[in-house]
Amino acid sequence: MGGLGAAACKEGALALQSVGQPTSAIVSTATKCGKCGPGYPSPLEAMKGPREELVYLPCIYRNTGIEAPDYLATVDVNPKSPQYSQVIHRLPMPNLKDELHHSGWNTCSSCFGDSTKSRTKLVLPSLISSRVYVVDVATEPRAPKLHKVIEPKEIHAKCDLGYLHTSHCLASGEVMISSLGDPKGNGKGGFVLLDGETFEVKGTWEQPGGAAPMGYDFWYQPRHNVMISTEWAAPNVLQDGFNPADVEAGLYGQRLHVWDWQRRERVQTLTMQDGLIPLEIRFLHNPAADQGFVGCALGSNIQRFYKNQGGTWSVEKVIQVPSKKVKGWILPEMPSLITDILLSLDDRFLYFSNWLHGDLRQYDISDPKRPRLVGQIFLGGSIVKGGPVQVLEDQELKCQPEPLVVKGKQVAGGPQMIQLSLDGTRLYVTTSLYSAWDKQFYPDLIREGSVMLQVDVDTVRGGLKLNPNFLVDFGKEPLGPALAHELRYPGGDCSSDIWL
């Protein structure tokens, strides 16, 4: 990748990437670029973007007993449409048991200043098969089609990596995908680099031999010459289900890896106190910001990472969700299991989902060191009344929440993947985590299929309210109940776009 200048798009993006340049100067430079590239000049400008009308999300059949390929679903989310809250298209993949999971774009707001770039392809890495699908969403946005398939053997041969997770577009015009392991399923946190035009596998982003011991998610912030990655566990540990003994054996991650963005080298490792299984990581959207948050799933906490005056990085716990003492579950204490986190584009609110406890939370992060809970809503979960789990001791609730029924459908599972509208007023939620863990923790999710819900957000005082008129029931799919996962809008969103 070379230095910061080398990593920029051909024209215009150099101005976007000037280290230390005031945000106002960056916006004015970018908005003078004439016919601009994809995305928006700044996060605040993105908030003024059009309302989302379509959502793309992968649907998984692995571990469900249904012998059908995973597929990309297109959902109509325009309230004025007669097909509102319906799946309007399904694009099946050509192989079985890929375990589609997360997705990213061929290009995004990091290339805003380059008029030769356009956001036309959705990149879908497979968590288990290590295959990468490139989908054309521009020719017909309501009916995407397969553009290219990158076979695992090419990734194995050129990168010695597999089990692919997060895909981010870079200002260089390339696409970078993180890995959980090597081709044999051992832990290996490296990064596959694709050409953003041809989608040829170029090799690894990191220097040879420089991969982290584990991998999962990542976020980069070029003005601070940094990328930070997280870790789940080796694929061989997690792929068939969760075993508490593996935690005791130290086989799950609890570290953040700090990388020098220019040199592509790991320069620091941060071991987090109580920070077991750090999954999704988000810098503040402001490209000058030198801090962000990571959700630690098994630790059930949010940790803030930040840059020190000397240029090193530190991490501290800022939110802890207490475990509940329970009866009728696999362990005597149930963690909340924080599985997804989001930051609003104006960096005012942090959202996260507690997949096991069943609640979605909104925190005011005006003071990032002291997040303040301002919104909470229960959307299913393991502790609902009438279920198999009895709560014996709860530091937060006086009684177990009621099961959630939307449009006659009782929701199985708990809130998991979340996506926020550009203006910050709508949250979309799905309920599947990962097929093997779904099967273990929520067997009814396999039988009933997951759902997609929509929650209205109060962005003035804080607060979350379910939209009772919105339900996508993936239990009624043509080939049988499916597990729907991460959500993307055609125009980009707050977890796919990075600004320079």
Side-chain angles (χ1 to χ4, degrees), residues 142-170:
R142 297 177 71 84
K145 59 185 180 182
L146 197 57
H147 175 73
K148 182 173 181 174
V149 180
I150 305 169
E151 292 295 342
K153 61 183 180 182
E154 186 178 359
I155 292 159
H156 294 167
K158 292 184 178 180
C159 304
D160 191 36
L161 295 173
Y163 303 90
L164 305 179
H165 188 265
T166 298
S167 174
H168 273 307
C169 38
L170 307 185

Side-chain angles (χ1 to χ4, degrees), residues 178-362:
S178 61
S179 75
L180 272 67
D182 67 13
K184 295 180 180 178
N186 304 305
K188 189 175 183 182
F191 305 90
V192 175
L193 210 55
L194 306 180
D195 183 286
E197 299 286 341
T198 65
F199 301 101
E200 176 195 355
V201 180
K202 301 179 73 172
T204 61
W205 172 85
E206 73 278 7
Q207 299 291 351
M214 295 183 194
Y216 185 73
D217 194 23
F218 71 100
W219 197 278
Y220 62 89
Q221 201 83 324
R223 288 202 214 175
H224 295 280
N225 187 36
V226 70
M227 178 178 83
I228 302 181
S229 63
T230 64
E231 40 181 48
W232 186 3
N236 289 337
V237 171
L238 65 88
Q239 63 180 329
D240 294 326
F242 175 74
N243 184 348
D246 291 335
V247 179
E248 296 297 320
L251 299 180
Y252 277 92
Q254 61 175 17
R255 296 163 295 188
L256 300 181
H257 300 285
V258 182
W259 303 76
D260 184 300
W261 184 240
Q262 295 183 59
R263 301 202 326 257
R264 297 179 285 163
E265 292 177 347
R266 200 156 43 110
V267 293
Q268 196 179 352
T269 296
L270 304 174
T271 300
M272 292 179 288
Q273 184 181 3
D274 305 325
L276 271 171
I277 314 186
L279 294 182
E280 308 300 330
I281 187 165
R282 314 282 185 232
F283 263 94
L284 295 180
H285 292 290
N286 179 349
D290 60 359
Q291 61 182 317
F293 300 91
V294 60
C296 300
L298 200 57
S300 300
N301 56 53
I302 301 290
Q303 308 230 5
R304 180 181 79 98
F305 58 88
Y306 57 95
K307 190 177 183 179
N308 302 307
Q309 283 190 330
T312 60
W313 294 77
S314 294
V315 64
E316 64 176 356
K317 184 167 66 173
V318 290
I319 300 170
Q320 178 68 55
V321 180
S323 294
K324 301 179 190 298
K325 290 187 178 179
V326 294
K327 183 180 178 182
W329 197 62
I330 60 170
L331 295 170
E333 291 202 6
M334 182 188 288
S336 74
L337 211 75
I338 296 173
T339 50
D340 197 16
I341 72 170
L342 281 184
L343 301 179
S344 61
L345 286 168
D346 55 7
D347 293 330
R348 281 186 60 212
F349 296 111
L350 163 72
Y351 300 90
F352 64 82
S353 51
N354 290 312
W355 189 58
L356 290 178
H357 288 180
D359 59 316
L360 184 64
R361 299 189 181 202
Q362 176 191 25

